[in-house]
Amino acid sequence: MLRKTLVLAGLLITVAGFAGGTETGKKEGPQKPPLKTIIIDPGHGGHDGGAKGDISREALLALEIGLQVRELMKKELPEMTVLMTREEDKLPGNQTNKNAALRWRADYANQSGGDLFISIHLNASLSNQRYGKRQVGTKEETYYVYSGKGKKRKKIAKTRTVPVYEKYKLPATVSGTQTYILARDWYNLKLKSVGNKTEIYELGESDTLDAEMLQMDPVEARIRAAQYTKYFFQKSMTLASLVEEEFAATGRRSWGVMQRDWDGIWVLQATQMPSILIETGFVDNPEEEAYLASLDGQKEVARAIVNAVKKYKAMLEAAAGGNAAPAPASN
């Protein structure tokens, strides 16, 4: 019992120092940079087209924006490894089922040793959809009149021309960006994923969940994993806030950071790293769709994302150097 108590106390001290940017018993020698590998995940793909616009669909525009992000990152962050979950308009990993493709995305990010996961999507305002009515032609309609009285009363058929209308979808008026992170209450799901990770890097320092310790005392391992998930939540919130600030700086309407608390998002809960999902605009809004389908619009969106990542990276490096990083923004 004494040995178990000492191990647990040492574990908590290590985690506390770890979260603050220092680690008890820090290893000597070269350390992994705090941000080395970034996973860019264009949502949907192939027959899973996502939300539809008048001239395009979510899967294609998300891919084009993702490719612009990768190109810019390679140019301005050459020391980074930037990986794409897909580079074509099809489901990643040669999957044919979209649910299997979601699992593949998270597995690919984890197996690639990703330090950051950025999923790119487009929004749609289906719950706010409005409809109108317009005349599209005419048709002949039969109606009946009666003449006479009593036994002489007769039913006479006549015709008249009447307009034909159709219901049509009005252009969505909702516009703007949103960035999702996994809500704090859902992080028990993320914890299960993190518990399977044997090595996690924070602030430039490595820390290993020893396999023997995991077998010896799963409670202690769960405490350690919980510390990691708290770290992931804080870092995800920080990056998401930076992304939305960059969008707002370009003049876009920002709906801010949303904690996904009504339902989980697999690529957020199953990735063993800070992760965000960016809704870059409303594809069912013709004006915003045209912007996101244009090369200039895609480059501007990519610029905002990369600027946010560069600021996030600088914060991590400052903390790794012993300086206090800014507190994560609150929702």
Side-chain angles (χ1 to χ4, degrees):
M1 176 63 71
L2 178 59
R3 180 179 183 279
K4 178 177 179 180
T5 302
L6 291 174
V7 170
L8 180 56
L11 179 63
L12 294 176
I13 291 172
T14 300
V15 169
F18 197 71
T22 61
E23 182 179 357
T24 304
K26 182 168 60 177
K27 297 178 183 179
E28 299 295 334
Q31 297 174 354
K32 180 183 176 183
L35 189 60
K36 181 63 178 175
T37 302
I38 298 179
I39 311 297
I40 304 298
D41 173 46
H44 304 278
H47 63 80
D48 177 23
K52 295 181 180 180
D54 290 336
I55 61 175
S56 191
R57 53 196 173 88
E58 179 181 6
L60 183 57
L61 296 185
L63 175 61
E64 292 175 346
I65 293 169
L67 291 171
Q68 289 293 335
V69 171
R70 181 180 67 174
E71 181 178 343
L72 195 55
M73 281 188 176
K74 286 188 172 183
K75 182 183 300 182
E76 300 189 5
L77 295 167
E79 71 280 13
M80 307 292 299
T81 298
V82 183
L83 303 176
M84 301 278 292
T85 58
R86 66 183 183 95
E87 299 179 56
E88 302 175 82
D89 187 20
K90 64 180 183 180
L91 289 174
N94 294 318
Q95 302 296 317
T96 57
N97 177 276
K98 68 178 183 179
N99 291 327
L102 288 174
R103 292 191 292 271
W104 187 94
R105 294 173 202 264
D107 290 344
Y108 173 74
N110 295 335
Q111 293 166 10
S112 299
D115 301 303
L116 192 61
F117 185 90
I118 301 174
S119 190
I120 298 174
H121 286 252
L122 282 82
N123 223 331
S125 55
L126 298 179
S127 61
N128 298 320
Q129 188 60 65
R130 301 174 301 124
Y131 292 89
K133 186 174 74 169
R134 61 191 171 197
Q135 184 176 342
V136 293
T138 60
K139 67 177 181 179
E140 294 299 309
E141 177 182 81
T142 301
Y143 67 102
Y144 296 91
V145 296
Y146 293 86
S147 66
K149 294 182 180 180
K151 293 182 179 180
K152 295 183 179 180
R153 183 176 175 85
K154 295 181 180 180
K155 181 180 180 181
I156 303 171
K158 293 189 174 184
T159 60
R160 60 188 173 192
T161 302
V162 296
V164 175
Y165 296 96
E166 72 171 6
K167 181 181 178 181
Y168 69 100
K169 188 167 63 173
L170 291 169
T173 58
V174 181
S175 64
T177 65
Q178 296 171 286
T179 300
Y180 284 99
I181 64 172
L182 192 65
R184 191 183 293 273
D185 292 344
W186 280 78
Y187 261 67
N188 61 322
L189 299 174
K190 186 110 171 170
L191 190 150
K192 292 178 181 179
S193 176
V194 173
N196 295 326
K197 191 175 180 70
T198 58
E199 189 171 31
I200 300 174
Y201 293 87
E202 295 187 22
L203 306 180
E205 300 175 358
S206 65
D207 189 69
T208 301
L209 296 175
D210 187 82
E212 183 178 350
M213 181 183 292
L214 291 175
Q215 295 174 4
M216 184 184 304
D217 198 319
V219 174
E220 295 168 14
R222 183 174 178 82
I223 292 172
R224 193 52 175 271
Q227 293 295 326
Y228 287 128
T229 58
K230 179 180 179 181
Y231 169 86
F232 290 156
F233 175 84
Q234 292 171 339
K235 292 298 176 277
S236 299
M237 175 67 81
T238 298
L239 176 61
S241 298
L242 290 171
V243 168
E244 287 302 314
E245 288 172 8
E246 290 294 325
F247 282 141
T250 67
R252 304 283 306 283
R253 178 176 185 178
S254 169
W255 292 89
V257 179
M258 305 287 184
Q259 293 188 38
R260 182 68 174 246
D261 56 3
W262 64 91
D263 190 14
I265 300 177
W266 183 256
V267 294
L268 297 185
Q269 73 188 44
T271 43
Q272 300 162 358
M273 64 204 72
S275 49
I276 63 174
L277 187 150
I278 305 171
E279 298 282 6
T280 57
F282 285 79
V283 72
D284 58 345
N285 180 318
E287 183 177 345
E288 198 149 70
E289 181 189 15
Y291 165 78
L292 294 168
S294 71
L295 183 59
D296 287 344
Q298 292 166 10
K299 286 186 174 181
E300 187 171 74
V301 169
R303 165 56 63 193
I305 294 171
V306 173
N307 282 351
V309 170
K310 290 166 72 174
K311 290 180 180 179
Y312 173 80
K313 180 174 180 286
M315 292 169 64
L316 293 184
E317 290 172 345
N323 300 320
S330 59
N331 190 17

